[in-house]
Amino acid sequence: MSQVKRASGRELFGWAMFDFANSSYTTVIITVVFCVIFPKIIVGDGPEYRLGNLLWSTSLSISYLLVLLTAPFFGAVMDYTGQKKKFLLGSCLLTVLTTAALYFVHPGSVLLGMLFIIFSNVGFSYSEAFVSSFLPGLGPPEDLGKISGYAWGLGYFGGLASTAIVIFGLGAGVYTLENFSNLRLVGPVTGLFFLVAAIPTFLWVREQTPARKIPPGKNYFSVGFKRLRQTLEDIRDYKDLMVLLISFFFAYAGLSIVIAFAFIYGDQVIKWTPLTQILMFVITQLTAAGGAFFFGVIQDRWKAKQTFIMTLILWVATITLIYKVGPLTAFVNGLLGASLKAEHVFLVIGSIAGLGLGSTQSACRAMVGLFSPDTKAGEFFGLWSFTSRLSAIFGLMGVGLLQAILGLQQAILVCSFFFFVAIVIIWFVDEQRGKAAAASHAGE
């Protein structure tokens, strides 16, 4: 693989700003605010909200199904035509417009809410894969961990800023029908934040692949499917990339549950107060940013595989502690003679979990970059997106059905199992062999 020069500081900042921008969507809509509004206000099947939780899982799963069927194809088209920025812009606008359209979702309009969640999450998922495909061209292999970690860490400050605007500026931290006039503004404000914050990406990030015209008699579909078919035929040459993606499948199954249900769990199982919710959000955003920065640095100095394993071990431990938060609270109170509540211990555990929130995904993204030939980055990150979305369907529908039968507290324990399986599989990855395979296919 030809040695890629490190991009300018302005271009790196522009690329990282897209993580800052799109974190507004995943944080406000998927993780913190609208994920509570949907079962509690739009569906409103309290007190346990099992139907609302299941429909939330179903909406996200449908969106991921649409993405996994199309993202690798779009990646192949991008690589051939050299139009990554155009595809990225399209995915950004799709997310912005459908997120803003959540304004029209009222209590009881469940199908409309599901529709806008499906298409906004499709746009977000596309954009996550499309912007990641720029990573191999932003610097040499030994810098990709730092570059990816820097961007992912910056993203958490975007999530922090956008959620602060929504909760404190709009007063959207009170989930009641009386406050719905403020809650319905969550979508438009989040969409506007995403749009404005993404501007530096389109101004300063260069198109990396030379533009090519579609040959006579061909079209985007024929070219895209031909390249995708060739990649799938040659995938046996990228053994370590495939093993990595299988491990990431199980890791992201657990992560997708954490991202979509952490604050639902706090609201429905822990019964936390609004103050604890706000503290959890702020602290986890800061620890997640710190974790992404920290693990990104040690990944380049150590090894990507070991870094990935460290984050997975962290997840197994924290999910198990979350499941046992009640007995753990009683134990701590007895040991210290304190009178802590479960929400206080949950806050501490969640803060520790935040260290792995961005670092797990960032470490895997950097490894995909290391294992990707320069001419197949779009396709391989399309496969990365395919893997994550398929695993999200597996994880979200699994926990959605389990919580409908057993309750959310019991169902959440499945995350530890997923992370443990990911640890076992990643041991079979040979990092040096994976990088060598990418180098041997460079320029093809």
Side-chain angles (χ1 to χ4, degrees):
M1 184 183 294
S2 58
Q3 183 71 8
V4 178
K5 294 183 179 179
R6 188 181 179 94
S8 67
R10 185 173 73 169
E11 185 173 8
L12 291 175
F13 176 74
W15 182 74
M17 277 299 293
F18 200 86
D19 276 5
F20 181 91
N22 71 8
S23 288
S24 63
Y25 175 81
T26 188
T27 306
V28 175
I29 304 300
I30 303 301
T31 305
V32 179
V33 181
F34 200 81
C35 65
V36 178
I37 294 174
F38 183 81
K40 199 167 188 176
I41 304 297
I42 305 303
V43 180
D45 65 318
E48 293 189 339
Y49 306 105
R50 294 192 181 191
L51 175 62
N53 292 342
L54 180 59
L55 293 178
W56 179 250
S57 292
T58 301
S59 300
L60 297 181
S61 297
I62 292 173
S63 70
Y64 293 140
L65 177 62
L66 294 175
V67 172
L68 71 85
L69 292 175
T70 54
F73 164 75
F74 286 134
V77 173
M78 288 191 307
D79 282 336
Y80 184 88
T81 61
Q83 296 181 348
K84 291 181 181 179
K85 289 182 71 172
K86 289 184 179 179
F87 279 84
L88 182 61
L89 178 61
S91 65
C92 176
L93 293 178
L94 174 61
T95 311
V96 167
L97 293 175
T98 49
T99 301
L102 290 171
Y103 175 84
F104 300 104
V105 178
H106 297 274
S109 54
V110 177
L111 291 180
L112 185 64
M114 292 178 68
L115 182 68
F116 288 142
I117 285 297
I118 288 169
F119 283 103
S120 63
N121 202 42
V122 165
F124 167 79
S125 300
Y126 281 155
S127 72
E128 188 177 43
F130 295 166
V131 77
S132 294
S133 71
F134 286 86
L135 179 59
L138 294 176
E142 62 270 17
D143 283 352
L144 295 187
K146 289 192 290 288
I147 293 171
S148 179
Y150 162 69
W152 216 291
L154 185 63
Y156 285 105
F157 288 101
L160 184 63
S162 57
T163 307
I165 292 171
V166 166
I167 290 180
F168 298 111
L170 295 181
V174 179
Y175 304 105
T176 62
L177 288 173
E178 292 75 18
N179 194 41
F180 186 71
S181 61
N182 291 324
L183 296 178
R184 69 185 307 199
L185 296 175
V186 167
V189 170
T190 303
L192 180 62
F193 185 98
F194 192 154
L195 181 64
V196 173
I199 291 175
T201 304
F202 299 103
L203 290 179
W204 296 333
V205 175
R206 297 174 296 108
E207 186 67 73
Q208 298 170 347
T209 308
R212 283 192 287 180
K213 294 183 178 180
I214 300 295
K218 303 288 185 180
N219 55 48
Y220 283 122
F221 290 98
S222 61
V223 169
F225 282 119
K226 181 180 179 180
R227 284 181 63 90
L228 181 58
R229 184 173 62 250
Q230 187 64 48
T231 295
L232 294 176
E233 290 175 356
D234 294 341
I235 204 67
R236 62 182 179 273
D237 296 329
Y238 305 96
K239 175 182 177 182
D240 295 286
L241 174 66
M242 294 307 298
V243 176
L244 168 65
L245 292 179
I246 294 171
S247 174
F248 186 62
F249 173 90
F250 287 97
Y252 199 81
L255 280 173
S256 65
I257 296 170
V258 173
I259 292 169
F261 277 92
F263 278 69
I264 295 176
Y265 191 92
D267 182 68
Q268 297 178 11
V269 177
I270 304 300
K271 308 292 185 183
W272 59 14
T273 62
L275 176 60
T276 302
Q277 179 193 17
I278 293 172
L279 287 174
M280 175 69 86
F281 167 69
V282 173
I283 294 173
T284 53
Q285 292 300 106
L286 293 176
T287 57
F293 284 129
F294 172 73
F295 284 109
V297 171
I298 68 169
Q299 177 173 324
D300 289 333
R301 295 184 179 181
W302 199 15
K303 284 188 177 180
K305 174 181 171 180
Q306 279 82 340
T307 304
F308 188 52
I309 291 173
M310 285 177 59
T311 67
L312 295 175
I313 293 173
L314 178 66
W315 277 116
V316 171
T318 53
I319 294 298
T320 304
L321 291 175
I322 287 173
Y323 172 71
K324 290 289 189 179
V325 67
L328 181 61
T329 302
F331 172 78
V332 172
N333 284 336
L335 183 66
L336 302 178
S339 56
L340 297 174
K341 295 181 179 179
E343 63 178 316
H344 301 141
V345 177
F346 182 68
L347 177 62
V348 175
I349 299 171
S351 301
I352 298 172
L355 293 171
L357 196 57
S359 54
T360 301
Q361 298 173 82
S362 177
C364 185
R365 179 170 69 173
M367 289 179 73
V368 174
L370 290 173
F371 295 169
S372 296
D374 48 7
T375 56
K376 290 183 175 290
E379 292 167 70
F380 282 179
F381 276 103
L383 290 175
W384 178 63
S385 178
F386 177 96
T387 302
S388 65
R389 303 321 165 199
L390 181 62
S391 70
I393 295 172
F394 178 71
L396 289 172
M397 289 308 299
V399 79
L401 293 171
L402 283 174
Q403 65 84 34
I405 299 170
L406 303 174
L408 187 54
Q409 182 177 5
Q410 300 296 323
I412 205 71
L413 193 58
V414 74
C415 292
S416 286
F417 173 75
F418 290 151
F419 289 126
F420 177 76
V421 173
I423 293 172
V424 173
I425 295 173
I426 197 64
W427 279 108
F428 295 94
V429 168
D430 186 321
E431 191 172 332
Q432 294 304 316
R433 184 176 60 195
K435 290 192 287 187
S440 67
H441 291 78
E444 294 183 355

